[in-house]
Amino acid sequence: MKLLTALALTLTCALANAGTLDSPEGPVILTVSGAIENTNGDGVAQFDKAMLEELQQRTTETTTPWHEGVVKFEGPLGRALLDAVGAKGENMEVTAINDYASNVPVADFYDHEVILALKADGKYMRVRDKGPLFIIYPFDENPDLKSEVIHNRSVWQIKSIDIQ
């Protein structure tokens, strides 16, 4: 009997640690899959714009190789997204709408103030403007981030992230 009680308690605790996210009410713009604990679909976490805006936000004003001058980017912190889904991996495969994919270390989102930019200069980014989501590192805050490796991790038109 004690064994059954202990097993039931262990299972209950495991289920309590895994969470369910709210379901998106608007169009899904990001799907997170892989090694995650919190879902709202069949093993995935789907986010609409409103859900992403509920995460901790940051504004980053920086130059990029893809824009003229300083641009003011706004969006959720990458680490806030990882925390929301209960990410348990060390790497992410970030895929764009055109199926371009880049491997991004999870550590980048914790070591730097990386955002998933929804807005550029106060306007939501459309697909033609590299939206709806664009990984933005704080390039001007840390000169070491101005490298080809980091630029290749700065995926735009993101549609999915697979935590590995």
Side-chain angles (χ1 to χ4, degrees):
M1 186 66 159
K2 289 182 182 180
L3 180 60
L4 287 176
T5 303
L7 183 58
L9 183 59
T10 302
L11 182 59
T12 301
C13 289
L15 291 174
N17 289 334
T20 302
L21 298 170
D22 290 338
S23 294
E25 294 181 13
V28 172
I29 60 173
L30 177 65
T31 300
V32 183
S33 60
I36 61 174
E37 291 186 335
N38 305 324
T39 63
N40 57 9
D42 188 17
V44 300
Q46 296 180 320
F47 291 85
D48 62 13
K49 189 185 315 180
M51 292 171 69
L52 290 168
E53 289 180 326
E54 289 176 8
L55 299 174
Q56 182 182 359
Q57 303 290 298
R58 175 179 158 87
T59 299
T60 299
E61 294 187 35
T62 190
T63 56
T64 77
W66 312 283
H67 298 87
E68 293 292 323
V70 175
V71 178
K72 177 181 166 184
F73 294 100
E74 301 170 66
L77 278 165
R79 68 175 167 260
L81 175 74
L82 295 178
D83 291 346
V85 300
K88 296 298 176 192
E90 295 181 12
N91 195 46
M92 300 176 281
E93 182 176 69
V94 181
T95 304
I97 292 169
N98 68 357
D99 291 328
Y100 170 81
S102 181
N103 288 313
V104 179
V106 166
D108 277 13
F109 280 22
Y110 290 98
D111 294 345
H112 308 287
E113 300 290 307
V114 178
I115 65 172
L116 297 169
L118 284 163
K119 294 180 181 178
D121 290 333
K123 296 180 182 175
Y124 287 104
M125 291 187 295
R126 302 170 297 177
V127 171
R128 67 168 37 162
D129 304 318
K130 299 186 176 15
L133 291 170
F134 188 172
I135 293 178
I136 295 292
Y137 286 78
F139 297 112
D140 291 354
E141 292 176 25
N142 183 345
D144 292 340
L145 297 175
K146 293 183 177 185
S147 71
E148 187 175 343
V149 170
I150 299 297
H151 292 160
N152 289 337
R153 295 176 185 170
S154 300
V155 180
W156 58 75
Q157 298 176 334
I158 299 168
K159 71 174 178 181
S160 65
I161 299 174
D162 183 54
I163 309 295
Q164 304 167 342

